[in-house]
Amino acid sequence: MKVEIGININKAAEILKRGGLVGIPTETVYGLAANALDVDAVLKIFEVKKRPQFDPLIIHLPTIASIKRYTKELPSKAVRLFEAFSPGPLTILLEKREIVPDLVTSGLSTVAVRIPNHPLTLELLNRLDFPLAAPSANPFGYVSPTRAEHVAKQLGGDIDYILDGGLCEVGLESTIVGFENDRAIIYRLGGLSIDEIEKVAGKCELKVNQSSNPVAPGQLDSHYSPAKKFVLVDNLHSIKKADLSKAGFIGFDKHIEGVPFENQILLSARGDVNEAARNLFASLRLMDEKDLEIIFGIKVPDVGIGKAINDRLLRASA
Ligand code: TXA
Ligand code: MG
């Protein structure tokens, strides 16, 4: 817990250059970063997160030009997507060059690449001559962090510094897109909506709920889980039948009768799915810290980023 938190980009850069670990802010969630070309440093990421090595990492770079050093030829749709949405909550799977260690990609021929949209982290990346491998900065399987304090609380003892970029603006991880022939495939729903991607890349195929899919082993059903029992319901009637004295409720824009008021959180009282995305992970953490036996959640409208929120709620309840 006693890790330094600050905005010293120089310090972060020096630590990364000598193989250390730094918590970095992005617009989606905080990352646990190391030099992607330094296998010993990358190994520490897996150790600290207790993440199985068959689950590959995303590399973070500051520009489209810099991506070409680490990947083979970019499909034209990939270029168009990056140009339209980067820096931003978009990760693209690309054929890797040899320089990218197999540990980063878990032996796959593709590497996941993204240009994060956060001024501190972009400045940091610009000062480095290597990409940053960075999974979300949470213990494997737990909810992703959306503020520096979340990272300090869970991983503080094991990392060297946290760059404090405040609250994550998007609040959900990046959308992951790959290509099969010329067709865009979405492997993880996230901060960039399907509609936006399809405007640029044409009709996409969705392959998001495949826990057995060796191509995206990180998409396990039980990801993003709070420690407490979390039950996702379709409507409020299912909740009303239960004993609610030790229950919590994560709602979208309406409270519910029966659950003690102080145990209720609304993701967006004004019914805004973007605000709900920003609040989701912090709300799950908050509920997890309360003295409750069960947490109920209800789906948000299945539009735009709402689809990604519902995906995370479903996984949290698995
Ligand atoms: O928004 C984000 O993407 C955040 C921030 C920190 O950038 N990062 C993040 O990383 O969510 P992580 O490691 O928690 O999730 C990365 C996902 C995993 O599910 C992993 O399986 C998948 O990306 N992935 C990485 N490389 C892959 C590859 N070559 N092929 C298929 N899936 C890949
Ligand atoms: Mg993660």
Side-chain angles (χ1 to χ4, degrees):
M1 177 73 188
K2 52 184 185 325
V3 62
E4 187 184 341
I5 304 181
I7 54 167
N8 189 338
I9 297 177
N10 263 334
K11 178 163 184 166
E14 288 316 310
I15 292 168
L16 291 162
K17 284 178 196 167
R18 52 164 209 266
L21 299 183
V22 175
I24 57 165
T26 83
E27 81 282 30
T28 59
V29 300
Y30 274 74
L32 175 61
N35 176 352
L37 307 182
D38 178 341
V39 171
D40 292 328
V42 175
L43 264 176
K44 284 193 230 161
I45 292 180
F46 286 98
E47 277 168 26
V48 166
K49 268 192 70 111
K50 301 193 166 58
R51 173 168 172 135
Q53 286 180 20
F54 59 72
D55 192 4
L57 305 176
I58 296 174
I59 66 169
H60 298 70
L61 285 160
T63 58
I64 300 177
S66 62
I67 291 173
K68 295 177 181 161
R69 248 182 281 159
Y70 305 98
T71 63
K72 295 184 180 156
E73 208 174 330
L74 295 179
S76 62
K77 280 185 181 172
V79 175
R80 268 185 275 150
L81 283 171
F82 274 136
E83 279 172 351
F85 303 118
S86 287
L90 166 70
T91 294
I92 302 187
L93 305 179
L94 298 163
E95 286 300 318
K96 80 174 192 79
R97 285 187 200 267
E98 203 149 326
I99 182 171
V100 180
D102 288 331
L103 180 64
V104 170
T105 64
S106 304
L108 297 172
S109 64
T110 54
V111 59
V113 185
R114 126 172 169 82
I115 305 174
N117 189 16
H118 192 288
L120 285 182
T121 293
L122 280 174
E123 175 63 33
L124 173 65
L125 288 167
N126 273 311
R127 290 191 200 184
L128 302 171
D129 59 0
F130 49 80
L132 290 177
S136 51
N138 49 279
F140 184 69
Y142 194 71
V143 178
S144 298
T146 50
R147 46 193 327 150
E149 293 74 19
H150 294 163
V151 183
K153 197 161 188 184
Q154 289 188 306
L155 305 179
D158 299 315
I159 66 181
D160 302 298
Y161 189 63
I162 301 173
L163 203 50
D164 188 357
L167 208 73
C168 297
E169 249 181 69
V170 175
L172 294 183
E173 298 82 353
S174 59
T175 304
I176 301 182
V177 181
F179 297 94
E180 269 174 29
N181 303 314
D182 194 37
R183 194 176 172 79
I185 318 271
I186 296 179
Y187 290 99
R188 178 175 73 182
L189 297 175
L192 187 63
S193 73
I194 303 172
D195 299 348
E196 287 184 282
I197 292 171
E198 289 193 329
K199 274 186 214 149
V200 174
K203 190 80 190 136
C204 295
E205 196 178 324
L206 235 69
K207 292 195 179 176
V208 291
N209 283 315
Q210 312 198 349
S211 55
S212 60
N213 176 10
V215 178
Q219 291 302 295
L220 301 169
D221 287 343
S222 63
H223 252 57
Y224 315 102
S225 299
K228 294 218 169 71
K229 187 172 163 70
F230 179 74
V231 177
L232 186 62
V233 297
D234 286 322
N235 59 62
L236 299 177
H237 299 293
S238 351
I239 299 179
K240 286 179 184 157
K241 291 185 205 125
D243 169 19
L244 300 176
S245 55
K246 284 251 174 183
F249 176 64
I250 298 179
F252 175 51
D253 57 354
K254 284 184 205 62
H255 287 98
I256 178 189
E257 269 173 56
V259 174
F261 191 76
E262 64 276 15
N263 296 347
Q264 299 197 37
I265 300 182
L266 297 186
L267 295 178
S268 175
R270 60 186 153 97
D272 172 355
V273 280
N274 291 304
E275 180 179 45
R278 199 150 52 233
N279 289 331
L280 175 65
F281 288 151
S283 302
L284 283 167
R285 280 172 187 264
L286 212 80
M287 281 296 181
D288 229 4
E289 285 168 4
K290 285 178 179 281
D291 177 28
L292 300 173
E293 278 163 10
I294 187 164
I295 306 162
F296 290 101
I298 190 155
K299 285 190 180 166
V300 307
D302 209 45
V303 292
I305 200 171
K307 283 186 194 300
I309 299 175
N310 288 333
D311 170 89
R312 300 303 188 274
L313 286 170
L314 203 67
R315 286 174 206 275
S317 72

